Amino acid sequence: MFTVRESFALKTGWFSPSVGVQLDPEQTGFIAVENFTSLAEHHELQLDPSKLEMLLALVQSNEHGDVCYQELIELLNSKRSSSFRRAIANGRRTLQREILLDETGLGVYKRFVRYVAYEILPCETDRRWYFHQTKLCPPPVFMAILTVVQIIVFMCYGVMLNKWVLQTYQPDFMKSPLVYHPGHRAQIWRFFSYMFMHVGLEQLGFNALLQLMIGVPLEMVHGILRISLLYMAGVIAGSLTVSITDMRAPVVGGSGGVYALCSAHLANVVMNWAGMKCPYKLLRMVLALVCMSSEVGRAVWLRFSPPLPSSGPQPSFMAHLSGAVVGISMGLLILRSYEESLHKQCSWWVLIFSFITFLLFAIFWNIFAYELLGVQIPPPP
């Protein structure tokens, strides 16, 4: 039996050099399966049952009789690593436990965490892992703060313009330093800041609802870094796509980021249809597609509907489509890589290279193409 100090190290996920020497006396970087099994089964301190399940599964799935010391440390610290998937694959076959829905006596927060697990994750073992290791801190603040800021900005302009629907028909709306306008494309922040402005109450309500209903659960499961990266990639791809394909049009609204999140989630649900256990998933899928299509249709109608205001063309709808492309490509890979390192996947670097190539092309396009093509840009307000 190992010492209390070693058990404490296992409990906390922290290994001191002396404990490492005892677990790996020959300094090979690997721990013998029998030593680790003895430690895991006879340790004196209580260990997270889901984490212990993963550790034992990792040992049992090993064909060489040893466990990589670094992978063990990463798994104990809940870091994403390739060992997680191997543990999951074996744990599903050999370590049967009751499904998460059978858990009783849960508080309000834990019931909400369980609901999120079934909404987002397609595998029962993944759901159990997330349920047991998730913590209230840090909370999903990115989506919440972003939505609050968008509402505040909209209310300020609504009061100032005394208009709450189709605000873009007000000339003063386009004078905002947040709106992307092709005449102001040298002001780089506009390629991002347009996400805080909205055409009217209908667009803001649609985006805010999806950000809270889909974005918050995604952020809870996959973390603020990954979901904020996906959202902002959709936003910047939206404005740059408009600057290439609809060169005379401005852009407002967070639809690029929203469609990146929604498209990624819907694609993940479709590809893992059998494993997803969220209730009424077919009906909800149809309703989501109808709502998203209706929003795109509204944006297309607004872009080409006469009469045009004196300020020029209405905002483009291409940000919606480019956001969806980002979600189906980059976003789907992010959502399918729960508890796995993205930087260790070749497909992730292919996507990053493709996105950077698109960014460079768009930058050169904005610098040279407008003059070379002789595009008549509406005068900036």
Side-chain angles (χ1 to χ4, degrees):
M1 184 182 298
F2 287 88
T3 65
V4 175
R5 185 179 183 184
E6 290 170 329
S7 297
F8 179 76
L10 182 61
K11 163 72 174 178
T12 59
W14 171 79
F15 284 84
S16 66
S18 61
V19 173
V21 169
Q22 295 180 37
L23 290 175
D24 183 19
E26 298 181 1
Q27 300 294 302
T28 61
F30 294 88
I31 303 171
V33 167
E34 57 272 14
N35 291 345
F36 175 76
T37 302
S38 176
L39 173 61
E41 292 178 349
H42 302 291
H43 66 87
E44 300 175 9
L45 298 181
Q46 183 64 33
L47 186 66
D48 183 336
S50 179
K51 185 170 293 187
L52 179 59
E53 175 184 330
M54 294 300 103
L55 294 174
L56 292 174
L58 174 62
V59 172
Q60 295 170 6
S61 64
N62 192 285
E63 300 177 354
H64 304 290
D66 49 32
V67 180
C68 177
Y69 186 69
Q70 183 60 39
E71 286 189 348
L72 176 61
I73 294 177
E74 290 178 351
L75 186 59
L76 283 169
N77 285 284
S78 298
K79 292 184 177 179
R80 297 170 170 89
S81 67
S82 58
S83 64
F84 180 83
R85 283 297 171 192
R86 294 205 301 274
I88 287 291
N90 190 74
R92 186 187 298 116
R93 294 193 302 269
T94 63
L95 298 173
Q96 298 296 328
R97 295 183 60 191
E98 293 183 353
I99 62 174
L100 195 56
L101 284 176
D102 294 335
E103 295 273 358
T104 59
L106 301 177
V108 175
Y109 173 70
K110 273 299 185 180
R111 288 201 298 269
F112 179 65
V113 170
R114 181 173 62 182
Y115 164 79
V116 169
Y118 277 93
E119 285 291 311
I120 303 300
L121 295 172
C123 173
E124 181 63 26
T125 313
D126 283 357
R127 292 190 282 261
R128 292 205 309 270
W129 174 267
Y130 167 72
F131 178 81
H132 287 293
Q133 67 89 31
T134 189
K135 298 179 181 179
L136 182 59
C137 186
V141 296
F142 175 75
M143 280 298 152
I145 293 177
L146 177 65
T147 303
V148 169
V149 173
Q150 289 174 337
I151 293 174
I152 292 175
V153 171
F154 176 78
M155 293 181 65
C156 290
Y157 276 91
V159 171
M160 183 176 64
L161 301 174
N162 194 26
K163 191 175 181 65
W164 303 94
V165 178
L166 296 179
Q167 290 184 349
T168 51
Y169 277 77
Q170 282 279 6
D172 290 338
F173 180 87
M174 288 298 174
K175 295 179 181 179
S176 169
L178 301 178
V179 174
Y180 168 80
H181 189 281
H184 290 306
R185 65 186 186 281
Q187 299 173 356
I188 300 177
W189 73 84
R190 291 177 180 263
F191 286 90
F192 298 91
S193 62
Y194 77 93
M195 67 181 179
F196 297 112
M197 303 290 292
H198 287 82
V199 171
L201 188 61
E202 68 286 353
Q203 186 188 27
L204 173 66
F206 179 81
N207 287 348
L209 184 64
L210 291 181
Q211 285 173 181
L212 295 177
M213 292 185 61
I214 296 179
V216 170
L218 287 176
E219 187 179 346
M220 289 178 63
V221 173
H222 296 281
I224 184 174
L225 182 61
R226 292 188 174 194
I227 298 305
S228 60
L229 173 64
L230 175 58
Y231 188 93
M232 295 308 299
V235 168
I236 186 62
S239 56
L240 290 176
T241 300
V242 170
S243 70
I244 295 172
T245 60
D246 199 358
M247 300 169 68
R248 301 182 67 250
V251 189
V252 296
S255 298
V258 170
Y259 273 64
L261 295 179
C262 294
S263 299
H265 178 57
L266 294 179
N268 191 45
V269 170
V270 171
M271 294 189 67
N272 299 280
W273 188 261
M276 298 299 293
K277 301 301 181 182
C278 47
Y280 309 109
K281 57 184 177 182
L282 179 59
L283 176 61
R284 293 165 63 182
M285 173 74 71
V286 172
L287 289 177
L289 292 175
V290 169
C291 292
M292 294 173 66
S293 301
S294 300
E295 170 62 15
V296 173
R298 184 202 62 82
V300 173
W301 172 84
L302 182 63
R303 171 65 179 88
F304 297 108
S305 64
L308 292 177
S310 59
S311 57
Q314 286 292 285
S316 177
F317 58 90
M318 291 302 298
H320 298 69
L321 305 182
S322 59
V325 172
V326 170
I328 294 174
S329 55
M330 180 186 297
L332 183 58
L333 178 61
I334 290 176
L335 299 194
R336 294 182 64 187
S337 301
Y338 172 66
E339 289 294 339
E340 289 188 47
S341 299
L342 291 173
H343 69 272
K344 295 181 180 179
Q345 303 182 44
C346 179
S347 53
W348 172 251
W349 292 110
V350 171
L351 286 172
I352 292 297
F353 175 78
S354 302
F355 193 77
I356 293 176
T357 302
F358 166 73
L359 291 180
L360 294 176
F361 171 79
I363 291 172
F364 280 99
W365 181 276
N366 277 272
I367 294 175
F368 300 109
Y370 280 77
E371 292 186 5
L372 293 176
L373 297 177
V375 178
Q376 298 296 321
I377 303 176

